[in-house]
Amino acid sequence: MDNESPRVSVIIPARNEGKRIVRVIEEVKKVSPSIEIVVVSNGTTDGTTKLALDSGARVIEGYQSLGYDVGRAIGAYFAKGEVLLFIDADFVIPAEKLQVYINAVQAGWDIALNAYSGYCTKRKMHPTSLAKRLLNHIAGRPDLIGSSLTTVPHAMSRKAVKKIGWEELAVPPRAQAKAILEGLSITRVCPINTARVNKRRIGRTENVKELVLGDHAEAIAFFMREKGVRAGFKDLDRKRQLLQFPGHLHLRSIVREKTARIEGGEGRDQLQSKEKGQD
């Protein structure tokens, strides 16, 4: 494979994942005989970089933390495969489940999303799950439910990366909105409950919920800029254009004045004043 481009690139952002990175890489190796593993090690101080190199990964190293999702974008820039699979180093996903994502793209789909739609019960839904569903509805893909590029694993073709732009992957919901606008084919496969396996780290103080909600607000704003202020939804028979004229020239002003006279309000007082003046 040294002289050939790999068929599959697996992109793994990692920061201080020394306890897991080797197991994650070893499991990923089972996915394809023609594979490159791209570890984007950023802000690492625990030996993650060396462990990844020793395990056979190609490592892109940044000395400071890149924050959420930027590592994915950088990994996509350096990846050489025709199929790009994105995972995290936080937990090990069995190779047979990862294979489903790759198979979907190799079968012709541009993007294969995790079919897990976020935390939801009969009585409660997490705000980020609501945001994902809202974006998909606004973008005309309610069939995607809560599936999102925010959630790993997911896979995409090189064509999809070119259409979306690798740098857009730093804000996953915006990248998803752009993928839909570009007409890319998107499917949901192999639900993996990442909320159950990806535990919050001790010492981490980031408010990920606020980040994800902000990402979706940005994505919806982007979609509206492209499709119009109502994102393509009809205004039906709402005559809001009437409100652009001075109050005394449109129907609402007439109705209000007549109503005031009938009910004995301000209109009645004005009418009585006029009558007194005439006396």
Side-chain angles (χ1 to χ4, degrees):
M1 196 184 76
D2 291 341
N3 297 322
E4 299 178 2
S5 294
R7 288 196 293 272
V8 178
S9 294
V10 182
I11 296 157
I12 313 173
R15 176 162 66 104
N16 292 332
E17 300 292 353
K19 293 181 179 179
R20 285 162 290 271
I21 192 66
V22 173
R23 286 184 293 134
V24 170
I25 291 172
E26 291 305 316
E27 190 65 23
V28 164
K29 287 179 179 178
K30 303 173 187 176
V31 169
S32 171
S34 177
I35 192 172
E36 72 164 348
I37 301 168
V38 181
V39 173
V40 183
S41 179
N42 60 105
T44 292
T45 59
D46 71 344
T48 296
T49 298
K50 185 177 186 305
L51 288 168
L53 285 169
D54 292 345
S55 298
R58 180 184 176 202
V59 177
I60 311 300
E61 186 174 25
Y63 293 107
Q64 57 182 311
S65 174
L66 298 172
Y68 286 88
D69 306 311
V70 175
R72 295 185 197 175
I74 291 174
Y77 175 81
F78 284 101
K80 299 177 181 178
E82 288 303 310
V83 178
L84 282 70
L85 174 67
F86 298 84
I87 66 173
D88 283 344
D90 302 76
F91 49 90
V92 178
I93 300 173
E96 59 269 21
K97 291 187 176 182
L98 295 176
Q99 188 67 56
V100 177
Y101 293 83
I102 295 169
N103 291 346
V105 176
Q106 290 178 334
W109 292 96
D110 294 313
I111 299 174
L113 299 174
N114 186 346
Y116 173 64
S117 289
Y119 179 80
C120 176
T121 67
K122 290 183 178 179
R123 294 187 176 184
K124 185 178 180 181
M125 185 180 294
H126 194 275
T128 59
S129 300
L130 284 169
K132 293 169 185 176
R133 286 166 167 79
L134 177 61
L135 173 61
N136 288 335
H137 273 269
I138 288 176
R141 291 298 308 269
D143 56 299
L144 295 177
I145 313 177
S147 291
S148 170
L149 283 175
T150 296
T151 308
V152 292
H154 56 261
M156 64 181 66
S157 64
R158 178 153 296 282
K159 167 194 165 185
V161 175
K162 289 180 179 178
K163 283 274 190 179
I164 297 169
W166 64 269
E167 66 281 0
E168 294 282 359
L169 299 178
V171 183
R174 179 183 165 110
Q176 184 159 325
K178 190 169 184 182
I180 293 170
L181 286 168
E182 291 287 347
L184 295 175
S185 60
I186 307 173
T187 189
R188 308 166 69 237
V189 299
C190 191
I192 298 173
N193 187 340
T194 53
R196 183 177 299 165
V197 295
N198 191 6
K199 304 300 182 183
R200 189 180 180 101
R201 303 293 185 78
I202 297 173
R204 293 274 181 95
T205 59
E206 303 100 326
N207 190 336
V208 180
K209 182 182 77 172
E210 294 298 315
L211 174 74
V212 174
L213 292 177
D215 284 353
H216 283 81
E218 182 177 339
I220 291 170
F222 167 75
F223 196 86
M224 290 172 65
R225 284 196 298 272
E226 296 296 316
K227 297 288 287 185
V229 69
R230 290 183 61 81
F233 290 93
K234 303 298 183 183
D235 209 15
L236 298 181
D237 60 351
R238 183 182 291 147
K239 301 296 190 296
R240 65 170 81 187
Q241 66 271 23
L242 289 174
L243 305 179
Q244 298 174 5
F245 298 96
H248 65 282
L249 295 180
H250 64 67
L251 186 59
R252 286 192 178 205
S253 175
I254 297 170
V255 172
R256 180 180 180 280
E257 185 177 346
K258 286 184 176 179
T259 302
R261 287 172 182 259
I262 292 169
E263 294 177 351
E266 180 184 351
R268 180 181 177 185
D269 294 338
Q270 291 176 354
L271 185 61
Q272 290 176 344
S273 296
K274 289 180 180 178
E275 290 173 350
K276 287 180 180 179
Q278 290 173 356
D279 292 343

